[in-house]
């Protein structure tokens, strides 16, 4: 789409009517934080328990959004026991981010049309403000409800119940739970302001950072096909959702932080739920595909580095080009062998040998060969990184991951 067309599209979109329910909700929850709360903290004593419960409820809301609304319902990355679904539905409703049905269906459209000016509901190319919160303040065409991709959501009784009774769930969980806690600890106003309003606003903007900041700030180790980034700091703030570049290329994986050292409490909650019998069928991207995506990205970077060399007559330039081409040929051969192995698995399944193949998988020659191929991709990625490090001193930009 040309810049002129983009400008016309965005100009017309700015005249969209105000979404009054969302706008009023944001005003009612945000204004007390900047007016009443500072005065109250300066003149009154707030119970320490109000801060403790604010933190507990913040995490309950946040994880219900990330593990429930997002990874369970929007992406079907695993299956959950009804008990776990009800917990997600109640505490997710408490987060005041709309019903599961609307949230998950809209999020699927975001992934289907990511970064598209007209069709992505919270398109990052429209600007930080728009993708963070602006898209909710007006009735933009991109935000129109579309359930054509949500038959499973419409058929889920927990989702349907929460959608029909969303206002009752949202008000009941926020006023009811917070007021009861305030009465129990003898600090109703402190709980309302800290565990109520402050917790809601904090949860909102932490979630909104994934739509905005995670498309602007961070690394792109897996793909450059969209604006999504991996960001460790955002992962810390967002219960593990900050590994957004990975998520946008492998959206059906129940993990966002795939390595043990990456902070992803949502992943840990889902894995713990599986052990407790509350979750099953956890989906994981094969390691080979992950390494393939990372190496693909490294080759892209290496070609960019070669094109940016500031010494076109450097005596080693031809050598570097040959090395890169050789690595690329090795990469293609590895992918070809892996594809052939997958085809062999498919043929075995067609001849009804799948169960027997599964039983023997861990000890089979095919499994061993796959591990060797994964290892070869890891080693090759390191070689390409070393090549890029050599090129870095002859380009205007440093080699980045």
């Amino acid at each position: 789409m040309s810049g002129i067309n983009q400008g016309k599209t965005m100009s017309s979109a700015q005249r969209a009517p105000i979404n009054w329910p969302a706008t009023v909700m944001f005003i009612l929850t945000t204004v007390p934080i900047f007016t009443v709360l500072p005065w109250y903290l300066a003149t009154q004593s707030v119970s320490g328990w109000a801060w403790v419960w604010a933190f507990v409820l913040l995490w309950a809301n946040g994880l219900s959004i990330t593990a429930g609304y997002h990874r369970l319902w929007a992406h079907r990355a695993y299956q959950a026991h009804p008990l776990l679904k009800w917990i997600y539905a109640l505490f997710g409703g408490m987060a005041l981010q709309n019903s599961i049905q609307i949230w998950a269906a809209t999020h699927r459209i975001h992934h289907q049309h990511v970064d598209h000016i007209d069709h992505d509901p919270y398109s990052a190319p429209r600007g930080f403000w728009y993708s963070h919160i602006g898209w909710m303040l007006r009735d933009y065409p991109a935000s129109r409800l579309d359930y054509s991709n949500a038959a499973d959501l419409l058929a889920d009784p927990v989702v349907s119940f929460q959608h029909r009774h969303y206002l009752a769930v949202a008000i009941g969980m926020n006023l009811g739970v917070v007021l009861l806690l305030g009465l129990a600890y003898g600090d109703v106003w402190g709980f309302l302001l800290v565990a109520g309003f402050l917790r809601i606003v904090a949860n909102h903007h932490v979630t909104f950072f994934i739509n905005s900041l995670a498309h602007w700030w961070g690394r792109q180790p897996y793909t450059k096909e969209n604006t999504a980034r991996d960001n460790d700091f955002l992962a810390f703030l967002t219960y593990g959702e900050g590994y957004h570049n990975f998520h946008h290329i492998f959206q059906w994986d129940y993990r966002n932080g795939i390595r043990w050292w990456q902070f992803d409490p949502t992943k840990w909650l889902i894995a713990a739920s599986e052990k407790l019998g509350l979750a099953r069928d956890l989906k994981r991207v094969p390691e080979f595909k992950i390494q393939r995506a990372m190496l693909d990205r490294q080759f892209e970077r290496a070609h960019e580095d070669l094109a940016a060399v500031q010494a076109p007559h450097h005596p080693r330039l031809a050598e570097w080009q040959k090395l890169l081409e050789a690595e690329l040929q090795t990469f293609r051969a590895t992918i070809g062998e892996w594809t052939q192995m997958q085809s062999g698995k498919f043929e075995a399944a067609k001849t009804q040998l799948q169960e027997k193949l599964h039983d023997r998988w861990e000890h089979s020659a095919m499994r061993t060969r796959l591990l060797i191929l994964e290892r070869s991709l890891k080693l090759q990625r390191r070689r390409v990184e070393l090549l890029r490090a050599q090129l870095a001193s002859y380009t205007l930009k440093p080699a980045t991951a």
Side-chain angles (χ1 to χ4, degrees):
M1 182 179 293
S2 69
I4 294 176
N5 288 336
Q6 283 187 10
K8 288 182 178 179
T9 301
M10 294 175 70
S11 175
S12 62
Q14 302 214 351
R15 294 193 294 272
I18 294 174
N19 180 0
W20 283 110
T23 300
V24 170
M25 184 271 293
F26 284 127
I27 291 173
L28 291 178
T29 54
T30 304
V31 169
I33 297 306
F34 293 100
T35 56
V36 181
L37 181 60
W39 168 81
Y40 195 86
L41 292 175
T43 61
Q44 307 293 324
S45 176
V46 176
S47 166
W49 286 108
W51 295 99
V52 170
W53 276 103
F55 182 80
V56 170
L57 293 175
L58 178 68
W59 273 73
N61 295 161
L63 288 171
S64 292
I65 295 296
T66 60
Y69 277 45
H70 188 208
R71 302 192 197 182
L72 173 63
W73 279 299
H75 293 297
R76 294 174 283 191
Y78 66 105
Q79 297 295 317
H81 188 280
L83 175 61
L84 191 57
K85 285 186 174 184
W86 281 112
I87 292 172
Y88 289 155
L90 291 173
F91 285 98
M94 191 182 192
L96 293 184
Q97 293 188 31
N98 224 321
S99 69
I100 299 161
Q101 183 172 304
I102 293 173
W103 197 107
T106 302
H107 190 73
R108 289 178 183 179
I109 296 171
H110 163 64
H111 274 267
Q112 183 181 359
H113 300 291
V114 61
D115 293 337
H116 194 288
I117 293 293
D118 294 320
H119 299 149
D120 182 352
Y122 24 96
S123 175
R126 280 188 143 172
F128 183 89
W129 171 259
Y130 179 88
S131 59
H132 188 75
I133 194 173
W135 69 278
M136 291 177 279
L137 301 180
R138 290 181 178 271
D139 289 320
Y140 294 107
S143 299
R144 288 174 184 158
L145 295 178
D146 179 6
Y147 295 131
S148 61
N149 65 345
D152 58 310
L153 299 174
L154 300 178
D156 189 316
V158 176
V159 173
S160 297
F161 179 90
Q162 195 230 36
H163 183 72
R164 290 195 308 270
H165 304 287
Y166 176 71
L167 280 178
V169 171
I171 294 171
M173 288 296 293
N174 277 288
L175 286 180
V177 171
V178 174
L179 281 175
L180 285 173
L181 287 169
L183 288 169
Y185 288 97
D187 184 14
V188 172
W189 283 107
F191 268 81
L192 278 175
L193 289 168
V194 175
F197 290 106
L198 182 60
R199 182 258 313 163
I200 290 171
V201 172
N203 177 262
H204 277 167
H205 291 283
V206 161
T207 302
F208 302 164
F209 276 148
I210 298 303
N211 300 336
S212 57
L213 203 53
H215 283 262
W216 289 76
W217 176 31
R219 311 176 303 277
Q220 291 184 298
Y222 300 98
T223 180
K224 205 179 179 182
E225 293 298 311
N226 56 70
T227 56
R229 262 77 171 167
D230 278 8
N231 187 304
D232 301 285
F233 178 68
L234 285 180
F236 180 76
L237 292 180
T238 60
Y239 319 97
E241 296 285 277
Y243 303 106
H244 210 49
N245 191 249
F246 174 86
H247 174 63
H248 262 275
I249 192 172
F250 300 121
Q251 59 182 284
W252 51 268
D253 197 312
Y254 85 94
R255 310 162 299 168
N256 272 14
I258 57 171
R259 305 306 175 200
W260 68 267
W261 65 84
Q262 292 177 320
F263 186 79
D264 187 357
T266 302
K267 168 187 68 178
W268 301 330
L269 172 65
I270 296 168
S273 298
E274 182 187 36
K275 293 185 182 300
L276 294 172
L278 297 175
R280 57 183 173 83
D281 300 335
L282 278 58
K283 297 178 182 175
R284 297 168 63 102
V285 177
E287 180 64 23
F288 186 90
K289 289 188 175 182
I290 295 172
Q291 292 297 326
R292 175 181 179 174
M294 295 179 75
L295 192 49
D296 258 329
R297 187 75 185 101
Q298 284 284 11
F299 279 121
E300 284 181 13
R301 298 272 194 182
H303 280 109
E304 291 171 4
D305 293 343
L306 276 174
V309 168
Q310 297 302 299
H313 302 296
H314 190 282
R316 295 196 62 192
L317 184 59
E319 177 189 347
W320 290 330
Q321 290 172 331
K322 287 181 180 179
L323 284 172
L324 185 59
E325 182 60 29
E327 292 291 354
L328 191 56
Q329 292 299 326
T330 301
F331 175 62
R332 288 169 179 163
T334 303
I335 298 304
E337 184 172 351
W338 179 82
T339 303
Q340 193 174 28
M341 288 174 60
Q342 300 309 303
S343 177
K345 284 171 58 181
F346 178 71
E347 291 301 321
K350 285 202 303 183
T351 55
Q352 299 182 348
L353 294 175
Q354 186 63 38
E355 288 186 12
K356 190 177 294 184
L357 179 66
H358 178 74
D359 292 340
R360 295 163 51 194
W361 178 244
E362 289 296 329
H363 307 288
S364 68
M366 187 179 291
R367 172 65 175 169
T368 302
R369 184 57 191 155
L370 179 57
L371 291 174
I372 292 172
L373 291 178
E374 289 176 1
R375 178 64 177 167
S376 71
L377 287 188
K378 292 178 183 178
L379 293 174
Q380 189 175 23
R381 189 158 56 85
R382 291 175 187 171
R383 293 198 302 271
V384 176
E385 286 173 356
L386 288 173
L387 176 58
R388 292 190 59 223
Q390 294 179 58
L391 291 170
S393 59
Y394 297 96
T395 63
L396 290 176
K397 59 180 182 178
T400 54

